[in-house]
């Protein structure tokens, strides 16, 4: 038996415990989701939640739609039922001037309509954010959420109650407000509610009316949007059918609210901000009597509804302007999208006096910021090459005004991003430019795709110089490997070559390189050595003296070292240390230019990626040409002997080891001989140079003596090795 009768009388009745748990869970959910200050650990919340779930399962007759366990539930719908709004859901006039003066325009209109003159005091406003989501009407009867509806055409919307119930920030049941922060109860019914006097800090509690419609915006936070899209991408990668990513938080939120299957809606993380009222029990029937919009917002907050903390009162145009500017600066850092701010006359009496034009109140205005997203079409997809050889696909767009500027290019970042978004020529796309960020394509409007447009593929050749473009393992970007020749990398290549730790051309810094390349005085590295006084004199701000100094520095730079020269070529992954190692190992540039990847791997510090990079670099005919031209211009260094192939003391000598040596094992002796360049053979012949004989040497020693081959002992071998090491 799960619930022994024995204990039934010792605790609260199931009904009482259920009520207790519901209240407690509502309060904790409010603290967690709305106030953002959890009161208990998650595990404790889960424990209470499970206790409630099991009690409700045991007592189905006590189940109730406002229970916290009922946020997710219900069957998929065929379609949403229509809901006629008791009070129409208005739209809001948009101030077309996106500059601060838009706020001034609104204040001017309000003052004019109210018949105010210059001598009258400033009008009091409430300044709010214009959230980028969708408007919802929440209907509460006796404090319990009974219906949630979209705005629709303002008269009739859709019943989306099931989906809205999944939003944790929306109370399923309104908790009676308490005074201040302490735990207090409502004043006795009929008691006079103190009106906000100057000494009062928090507003008096207001009782929840029998009928209450709360209006506000359902939206998706940016971080929730990102993780939702991450999950969507994973599903798509796993081959799930019918899944897609969302282009922006607004679309994702709208999709979630209008999702027919509430189980799916429950997986889409939504949030809510309250900003107004619909039908409310009138004051004369016991409903609340607010004097200002701000007071109403504070009351909604006290009832557990999220009200944006950035909401504030503002006095006159100057404070509206200040608000507009402040939010404009903070906009990109907000955790959610806004497309503007909203100003509302604070006094409800004045609101009433001003009334409406068609469906827009005269007492409110939306003051927008330049839109950060616009729709346009893709004219072409180009690939740009950066200074360091990085290839970036860029969508060429039909010009569009977004984020305050006209945009004609938007980055697609790299091959994976371009594929993920599947942007194609001719597509209709959403372009976003937020703050100073480079414009980007957010997504494609798939249903507008022109049939048969081919998928974008990254070129395997650099579009600037034709050299091979490679994408290294584990990297997102393709890079041009023609660093020495590529027009896009010209400046970078010259600067790198001239660096103090590379070939070093004193006085050749970025400004001068920029100037010379832009003026067309130099195109590739070897051009540096063809510079004359006359071409330098043609450059702006170049005095004879500095021109001569540069020519001297260039002359001086011709005599360099192999490591400096190698480093100066700017081969990807070949830093100073690797250049030194390569020079030490190969000794000569030609040996490096022709070495195989395997051979590079013999160099300490060189792994497969570096080996491949060096090989690819010298496989580009243009890079080799530049190297040849530099040599032809007189750039030179002292070439060394390849370390691995330097004539070693034992090279060309064949040894045979026989018998037991006093200290070295046979293998040790063999290793040492080979390390010194000698060869160790198994049998004695005329070609044998030395037989190293130990104790109990047999037939091999005899053979050596017969052939007149030199016979030495271990001590003599060690002496030879020592001598070799010293030389
Ligand atoms: S008030 C009386 N306040 O903007 C005016 N609307 O066209 C009723 N919106 O559909 C709306 N933030 O979805 C108001 N702080 C805010 C808002 C806001 C966003 C949306 C709302 C409505 C549209 C108005």
């Amino acid at each position: 038996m799960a619930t022994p009768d024995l204990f039934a009388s010792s605790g609260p009745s199931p009904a009482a415990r259920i009520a207790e748990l519901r209240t407690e869970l509502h309060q904790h959910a409010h603290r967690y989701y709305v106030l953002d200050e959890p009161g208990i650990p998650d595990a404790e919340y889960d424990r209470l939640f499970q206790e409630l779930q099991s009690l409700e399962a045991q007592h189905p007759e006590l189940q109730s739609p406002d229970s916290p366990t009922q946020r997710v539930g219900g069957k998929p719908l065929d379609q949403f039922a229509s809901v006629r709004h008791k009070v129409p859901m208005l739209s809001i006039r948009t101030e077309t001037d996106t500059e601060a003066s838009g706020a001034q325009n609104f204040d001017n209109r309000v003052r004019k309509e109210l018949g105010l003159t210059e001598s009258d005091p400033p009008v009091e406003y409430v300044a709010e954010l214009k959230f980028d989501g969708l408007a919802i009407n929440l209907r509460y009867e006796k404090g319990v959420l009974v219906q949630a509806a979209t705005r629709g055409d303002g008269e009739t919307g859709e019943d989306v109650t099931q989906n809205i119930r999944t939003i944790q920030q929306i109370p399923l049941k309104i908790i009676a407000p308490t005074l201040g922060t302490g735990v207090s109860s409502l004043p006795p019914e009929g008691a006079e509610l103190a009106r906000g006097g100057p000494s009062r800090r928090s507003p008096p509690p207001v009782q929840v009316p029998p009928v209450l419609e709360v209006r506000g915006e359902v939206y998706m936070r940016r971080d929730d949007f990102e993780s939702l899209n991450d999950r969507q991408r994973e599903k798509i990668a796993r081959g799930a059918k019918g899944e897609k990513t969302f282009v922006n938080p607004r679309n994702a939120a709208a999709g979630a609210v209008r999702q027919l299957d509430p189980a799916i809606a429950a997986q889409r993380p939504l949030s809510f901000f309250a900003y107004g009222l619909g039908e409310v029990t009138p004051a004369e029937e016991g409903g609340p009597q607010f004097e200002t919009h701000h007071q109403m917002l504070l009351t909604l907050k006290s009832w557990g509804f999220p009200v944006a903390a950035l909401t504030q009162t503002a006095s006159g145009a100057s404070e509206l302007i200040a608000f507009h500017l402040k939010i404009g600066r903070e906009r990109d850092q907000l955790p959610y999208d806004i497309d503007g701010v909203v100003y509302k006359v604070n006094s409800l009496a004045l609101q009433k006096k001003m009334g409406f034009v068609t469906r827009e109140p005269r007492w409110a205005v939306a003051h927008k910021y330049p839109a950060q997203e616009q729709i346009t079409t893709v004219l072409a997809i180009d690939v740009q090459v950066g200074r360091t050889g990085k290839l970036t696909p860029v969508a060429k767009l039909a010009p569009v005004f977004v984020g305050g500027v006209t945009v004609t290019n938007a980055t697609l970042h790299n091959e994976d991003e371009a594929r993920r978004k599947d942007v194609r020529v001719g597509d209709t796309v959403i372009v976003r430019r937020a703050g100073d960020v480079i414009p980007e394509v957010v997504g494609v409007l798939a249903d507008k795709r022109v049939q048969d447009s081919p998928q974008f593929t990254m070129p395997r050749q650099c579009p600037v110089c034709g050299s091979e473009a490679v994408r290294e393992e584990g990297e997102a970007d393709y890079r041009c490997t023609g660093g020495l020749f590529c027009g896009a990398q010209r400046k970078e290549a010259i600067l790198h070559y001239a660096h103090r730790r590379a070939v070093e051309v004193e006085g050749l810094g970025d400004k001068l390189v920029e100037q010379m390349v832009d003026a067309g005085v130099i195109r590739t590295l070897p051009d540096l050595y063809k510079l004359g006084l006359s071409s330098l004199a043609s450059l702006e701000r170049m005095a004879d003296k500095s021109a001569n100094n540069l020519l001297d520095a260039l002359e001086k730079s011709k005599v360099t070292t192999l490591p400096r020269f190698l480093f100066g070529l700017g081969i990807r992954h070949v830093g100073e240390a690797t250049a030194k190692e390569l020079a030490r190992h190969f000794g000569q540039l030609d040996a490096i230019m022709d070495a195989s990847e395997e051979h590079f791997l013999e160099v300490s510090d060189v792994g497969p990626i570096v080996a491949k990079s060096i090989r690819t670099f010298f496989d580009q005919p243009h890079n080799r040409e530049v190297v040849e031209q530099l040599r032809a211009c007189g750039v030179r260094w002292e070439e060394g002997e390849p370390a691995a192939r330097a004539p070693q003391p034992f090279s060309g000598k064949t040894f045979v080891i026989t018998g037991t040596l006093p200290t070295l094992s046979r293998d040790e002796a063999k290793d040492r001989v080979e390390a010194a360049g000698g060869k160790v053979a198994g049998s004695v012949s005329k070609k044998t140079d030395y037989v190293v004989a130990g104790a109990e040497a047999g037939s091999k020693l005899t053979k050596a003596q017969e052939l007149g081959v030199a016979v030495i002992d271990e001590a003599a071998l060690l002496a030879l090795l020592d001598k070799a090491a010293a030389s």
Side-chain angles (χ1 to χ4, degrees):
M1 249 306 149
T3 46
D5 279 327
L6 254 180
F7 299 111
S9 57
S10 62
S13 70
R17 180 63 185 151
I18 282 174
E20 201 173 276
L21 283 167
R22 283 179 187 162
T23 309
E24 218 176 311
L25 286 165
H26 276 309
Q27 275 162 349
H28 287 306
H30 178 245
R31 292 190 61 156
Y32 187 92
Y33 291 105
V34 182
L35 305 180
D36 216 8
E37 43 187 48
I40 51 169
D42 290 1
E44 178 60 9
Y45 182 90
D46 292 346
R47 198 192 60 73
L48 296 173
F49 192 89
Q50 278 155 15
E51 187 188 344
L52 177 60
Q53 255 180 338
S54 78
L55 275 175
E56 285 174 349
Q58 287 163 33
H59 305 278
E61 73 284 0
L62 297 175
Q63 188 54 273
S64 154
D66 66 358
S67 171
T69 59
Q70 297 306 296
R71 288 211 180 260
V72 187
K75 294 190 207 66
L77 305 172
D78 292 330
Q79 61 174 71
F80 296 111
S82 308
V83 175
R84 209 173 158 75
H85 299 301
K86 302 283 189 319
V87 176
M89 285 184 83
L90 299 172
S91 89
I92 201 167
R93 178 190 161 119
T94 301
E95 171 58 52
T96 47
D97 184 348
T98 58
E99 300 299 308
S101 41
Q104 183 71 62
N105 297 347
F106 174 60
D107 184 55
N108 291 348
R109 271 200 311 275
V110 170
R111 293 186 72 86
K112 193 169 159 211
E113 274 158 31
L114 290 174
L116 302 177
T117 65
E118 269 176 39
S119 54
D120 289 307
V123 176
E124 289 294 321
Y125 298 103
V126 172
E128 299 175 7
L129 304 183
K130 188 164 193 301
F131 312 105
D132 209 3
L134 71 163
I136 288 287
N137 184 70
L138 305 171
R139 185 176 175 87
Y140 290 84
E141 289 175 7
K142 299 202 182 76
V144 174
L145 176 69
V146 293
Q147 187 182 64
T150 59
R151 175 164 178 268
D153 62 4
E155 298 288 337
T156 312
E158 287 176 319
D159 184 334
V160 289
T161 316
Q162 286 204 56
N163 294 340
I164 293 303
R165 299 175 69 85
T166 67
I167 304 175
Q168 296 282 359
Q169 286 185 326
I170 293 180
L172 296 178
K173 184 179 186 174
I174 302 171
I175 313 162
T178 54
L179 250 179
T181 49
V183 186
S184 161
S185 57
L186 280 171
E189 245 179 293
E192 260 261 312
L193 288 183
R195 291 270 135 74
S199 60
R200 274 203 162 274
R201 303 193 67 220
S202 53
V206 179
Q207 238 183 332
V208 181
V211 171
L212 171 73
E213 289 186 356
V214 175
R215 289 180 175 173
E217 201 86 347
V218 170
Y219 66 95
M220 193 177 285
R221 288 171 54 99
R222 288 179 185 154
D223 53 357
D224 284 335
F225 168 73
E226 293 303 334
S227 33
L228 170 65
N229 262 357
D230 283 346
R231 291 198 298 276
Q232 291 300 105
R233 275 191 280 276
E234 274 163 31
K235 284 189 203 163
I236 296 166
R238 283 200 306 269
K241 288 274 165 298
E243 296 290 350
K244 58 161 196 165
T245 54
F246 300 92
V247 290
N248 57 32
R250 207 203 84 82
N251 281 22
V257 169
R258 302 198 64 258
Q259 167 60 241
L260 287 163
D261 184 348
I264 295 177
Q267 294 162 19
R268 310 264 167 90
L270 296 172
S271 301
F272 178 75
F273 275 129
Y275 52 65
L277 295 176
E279 189 191 16
V280 183
T281 308
E284 48 283 10
E285 288 168 36
Q289 185 145 41
F290 301 116
E291 283 172 9
T292 64
H293 181 73
H294 192 243
Q295 201 185 2
M296 180 272 288
L297 289 178
L298 288 177
T299 305
L300 285 180
K301 199 173 156 195
S302 77
W303 286 341
F305 292 91
V307 175
L310 287 167
T311 307
Q312 63 169 70
T313 53
S315 179
S318 61
E319 291 192 18
L320 293 182
I321 292 171
F323 183 78
H324 185 254
L325 291 174
K326 171 173 106 99
I327 301 297
R329 282 192 300 272
E330 293 171 8
R331 179 184 188 193
D332 291 336
Q333 273 75 54
L334 291 176
Y336 42 80
D337 285 353
I338 59 166
D339 58 353
V341 289
V342 177
Y343 311 133
K344 297 173 181 172
V345 169
N346 195 16
S347 154
L348 299 185
L350 290 184
Q351 283 190 9
K352 204 167 164 199
K353 190 168 163 195
M354 294 182 77
F356 306 88
V357 226
T358 58
R359 292 161 155 272
E360 294 171 352
R362 283 201 174 88
W363 45 263
V365 79
H367 190 189
K368 295 210 177 183
Y369 293 106
Q372 293 180 320
E373 287 187 4
Q374 287 294 355
I375 289 174
T376 187
T377 51
V378 178
L379 305 177
I381 299 176
D382 283 1
V383 173
Q384 290 180 353
V385 186
R387 286 176 67 109
T388 59
K390 181 182 151 189
L391 269 58
T392 307
V394 174
K396 298 275 149 186
L397 307 168
V400 62
F401 192 74
V402 52
V405 297
T406 300
V407 168
T408 51
N409 290 324
T411 179
L412 297 172
H413 300 291
N414 55 45
E415 184 184 52
D416 290 349
E417 275 288 294
R419 288 251 178 92
R420 187 168 73 67
K421 289 177 181 159
D422 192 16
V423 180
R424 305 185 189 192
V425 176
D427 277 353
T428 303
V429 292
I430 297 174
V431 177
R432 181 178 174 86
R433 182 186 178 272
D436 292 332
V437 185
I438 341 168
E440 60 168 358
V441 170
V442 182
V444 173
L445 302 183
D447 47 344
K448 298 226 168 119
R449 169 156 297 158
V450 185
Q451 292 281 298
D452 287 342
S453 49
Q455 219 188 346
F456 169 76
T457 49
M458 202 69 172
R460 295 300 187 268
Q461 250 93 45
C462 169
V464 173
C465 74
S467 299
E468 221 179 311
V470 297
R471 178 179 176 181
E472 284 172 9
E473 217 181 289
E475 299 228 344
D477 297 314
Y478 272 84
R479 286 176 183 278
C480 164
T481 56
L484 279 189
F485 175 78
C486 184
Q489 300 173 67
R490 218 165 259 164
K491 291 177 185 171
E492 210 62 22
I494 296 168
L495 261 179
H496 184 75
Y497 178 85
H499 190 269
R500 192 171 52 81
R501 308 207 53 106
V503 174
E504 187 175 26
V505 184
E506 236 187 281
L508 187 56
D510 48 4
K511 289 219 180 64
L512 190 51
V513 168
E514 185 103 16
Q515 203 187 357
M516 291 199 291
V517 172
D518 290 346
V521 174
I522 41 174
R523 289 168 51 83
T524 62
L525 267 179
D527 292 346
L528 275 178
Y529 295 108
K530 297 171 192 157
L531 285 172
L533 259 186
S534 59
S535 53
L536 283 177
S538 71
L539 297 172
E540 247 179 85
R541 287 191 303 276
M542 174 64 92
D544 268 7
K545 183 154 189 294
S546 13
N548 272 317
N549 285 346
L550 180 62
L551 292 177
D552 283 350
L554 279 163
E555 199 51 41
K556 211 171 128 199
S557 76
K558 285 184 184 170
V559 182
T560 183
T561 66
L562 181 53
R564 278 176 174 269
F565 184 78
L566 260 183
F567 174 51
L569 295 180
I571 306 168
R572 189 158 162 80
H573 303 304
V574 177
E576 230 184 318
T578 309
K580 276 188 187 147
E581 280 303 307
L582 285 167
R584 201 185 59 77
H585 189 92
F586 289 95
Q588 293 160 8
L589 182 63
D590 287 325
I592 298 173
M593 297 212 296
D594 294 331
S596 66
E597 277 178 50
E598 292 72 42
H599 201 165
F600 286 128
L601 288 175
E602 291 170 9
V603 181
S604 66
D605 249 21
V606 172
I609 290 180
V610 183
K612 193 173 180 135
S613 168
I614 307 169
R615 191 60 261 141
T616 315
F617 182 89
F618 287 116
D619 277 345
Q620 308 308 311
H622 288 311
N623 287 341
R624 298 182 83 103
E625 275 166 34
V626 171
V627 170
E628 288 321 318
Q629 288 168 16
L630 285 169
R631 286 207 271 210
C633 288
V635 178
R636 58 195 181 275
W637 54 88
E638 213 168 297
E639 299 224 285
E641 293 294 340
R645 291 170 194 175
Q648 288 175 293
F650 284 8
S651 83
K653 305 281 181 220
T654 305
F655 289 73
V656 171
I657 303 163
T658 183
T660 309
L661 303 180
T663 64
L664 295 174
S665 73
R666 194 74 69 87
D667 278 345
E668 280 166 350
K670 184 170 184 267
D671 284 349
R672 308 237 348 219
V673 168
E674 283 175 351
K679 198 177 145 207
V680 175
S683 60
V684 181
S685 73
K686 276 191 287 186
K687 288 182 190 153
T688 309
D689 294 289
Y690 296 98
V691 170
V692 185
E696 286 153 49
S699 61
K700 291 179 187 171
L701 176 59
T702 321
K703 182 106 186 254
Q705 286 160 346
E706 280 170 20
L707 294 173
V709 174
V711 176
I712 57 172
D713 60 4
E714 188 196 76
L717 174 67
L718 289 174
L720 280 178
L721 284 166
D722 279 349
K723 206 171 134 204
S727 69

